[in-house]
Each structure stands twice: as structure tokens, then as C-alpha cells.
Amino acid sequence: MYISQSKIEEAVKLFQEHDGVMRTSEVLDAGVHRRTLYHMRDEGMVTAIQRGVYQLAESEPLSKPDLVIVAKKIPEARICLISALSIHEMTDEIPHKVHIALPRSSWQPELDYPPLKVYRFSEETINSGVEPQTIDGVEVKVFNPAKTIADCFKFRNQIGLDVAIEALKRGVKEGKATYGDIMKYAKLCKVERVIKPYLETVGHG
């Protein structure tokens, strides 16, 4: 099947404008024909990093492919808990799954890769404290340090109280989260009574 060079060049330029990573639907919506995309795939010009997510072969390897795939495939997801702590460098835990927050009413995502740990948040808590970060050229929605600390105390029975306490200590001592912000999100997450004694022992009570 013949695909004109101009159409391939247009598609390559489109990928470059998106930092080399695009979903199939984004490519098609931009006017690239499915045949052109599949031709580029077959010729090794783009590679599938996950079903429905392609990367331009000439692009630099992704530093955090797990997060890029999640951001592209599940745009309503927020990176939370252990994964957010890892991004903010507030834990020594290595997340073996990508921890994401989703609205209670949303569908259960199914990805071949990466493995996910899904937490359900209320509309108010999922839309508070979101701090988008650009990772590998892709916008990834991550909860900020103070909101992540509050979330860790809320889900302490699932991730471990020790992880939450360590995140609190590092967040405060390294200046990543203020007492006021932590308490604001703690009230939102209904864990202010749980978190306050630990905050006070850090010396910011």
C-alpha cells in the first residue's frame, strides 16, 4: 500500500509537536489516516509502548513510561499515594504499581501495562490539590505534597501508617508542605484528628 512521503512527514511533525508520544485517537483526530499510522508502525517509524499509545522511534526513551501511559490512556486519573510520594521524593518505597485516584462513578480501567492500584475518591477530594507536572513532555496530573500526605493518612490502613508518617516528616522538614496546607487537606480528607499529633511532634504544631 503506497503512502505518500508528504503524509508521513505531516504525521512525524504531529508526533514531534506532542513530544513524540500520542494516543491512536489523538493521531486520527488530527487528520492522520489509520493506514498512515499503521504503515509507520510497520516500518518502525513509531513503536507501540502500550496498546493504543505510540512513540516516535526517533524520540528519546521515556524516563517514566508507566506514568506517561497512564496519563495518556486514563486522562481523568490522578497519580496518588505511593506513586505521588515517589514523584515528590518523599518516600523510599518503590511503587510496584501505579497508584491512581479515580472518581467513584468512573469505570474500572484495564491496561495491559503498567499494573495499577486504583483508589476511589469523592468529587471534592479528587479535584483538590492537583498539581500537573510535565513528565517526558506529557502532562501528568499528580496530587501536591500536602494533599498526598493527607491522602496517605486517610488510606493508612492500606499503605501503612509508617509510610504516612515518613512522608509527613520529609514533606515538612524539606519544605515541600506547610503546616497550614497539610491541615487544610487533612480536614478535607477528614483525618485532621489523626494527623495533628504527628504534625506537632515534627515541631510545627
Side-chain angles (χ1 to χ4, degrees):
M1 184 187 305
Y2 175 74
I3 306 292
S4 72
Q5 187 62 29
S6 63
K7 290 195 179 300
I8 292 173
E9 289 173 357
E10 286 173 11
V12 169
K13 185 179 179 182
L14 180 67
F15 268 91
Q16 290 171 339
E17 291 170 353
H18 287 76
D19 291 287
V21 181
M22 296 185 74
R23 294 172 63 190
T24 302
S25 58
E26 291 176 318
V27 179
L28 302 181
D29 288 347
V32 175
H33 198 283
R34 193 179 293 271
R35 285 196 302 266
T36 303
L37 177 62
Y38 290 167
H39 172 79
M40 293 172 69
R41 178 198 63 190
D42 295 342
E43 293 296 317
M45 300 174 71
V46 296
T47 55
I49 58 175
Q50 210 273 346
R51 187 172 56 192
V53 181
Y54 289 91
Q55 182 182 22
L56 197 60
E58 66 187 41
S59 302
E60 289 289 320
L62 299 175
S63 64
K64 293 184 170 68
D66 294 13
L67 299 180
V68 170
I69 290 169
V70 169
K72 284 290 185 181
K73 294 287 283 186
I74 318 171
E76 70 273 27
R78 277 57 164 153
I79 306 300
C80 67
L81 298 167
I82 305 293
S83 294
L85 290 179
S86 180
I87 290 173
H88 296 307
E89 298 182 343
M90 289 160 53
T91 185
D92 294 324
E93 297 283 315
I94 298 172
H96 298 293
K97 296 182 178 182
V98 179
H99 291 227
I100 63 172
L102 286 175
R104 289 173 181 157
S105 58
S106 72
W107 51 276
Q108 181 68 21
E110 293 183 8
L111 290 184
D112 299 331
Y113 178 88
L116 302 174
K117 176 65 176 174
V118 180
Y119 298 85
R120 297 293 175 172
F121 281 47
S122 69
E123 185 175 346
E124 188 178 18
T125 57
I126 202 165
N127 290 316
S128 299
V130 181
E131 183 181 88
Q133 295 200 15
T134 301
I135 298 174
D136 292 317
V138 174
E139 184 180 276
V140 179
K141 298 184 184 76
V142 186
F143 288 121
N144 66 32
K147 173 62 159 53
T148 300
I149 289 168
D151 288 336
C152 285
F153 276 89
K154 184 176 181 66
F155 291 95
R156 61 193 181 279
N157 292 335
Q158 294 182 52
I159 68 166
L161 179 60
D162 56 329
V163 174
I165 294 170
E166 176 67 14
L168 172 65
K169 289 179 179 177
R170 288 171 67 163
V172 171
K173 289 182 177 178
E174 294 170 15
K176 295 176 180 176
T178 66
Y179 177 91
D181 282 343
I182 293 170
M183 285 307 295
K184 177 179 76 173
Y185 293 116
K187 288 175 182 175
L188 178 71
C189 296
K190 298 180 172 58
V191 290
E192 66 268 34
R193 289 184 180 178
V194 177
I195 211 168
K196 196 167 184 179
Y198 295 104
L199 253 179
E200 290 172 349
T201 63
V202 178
H204 286 254

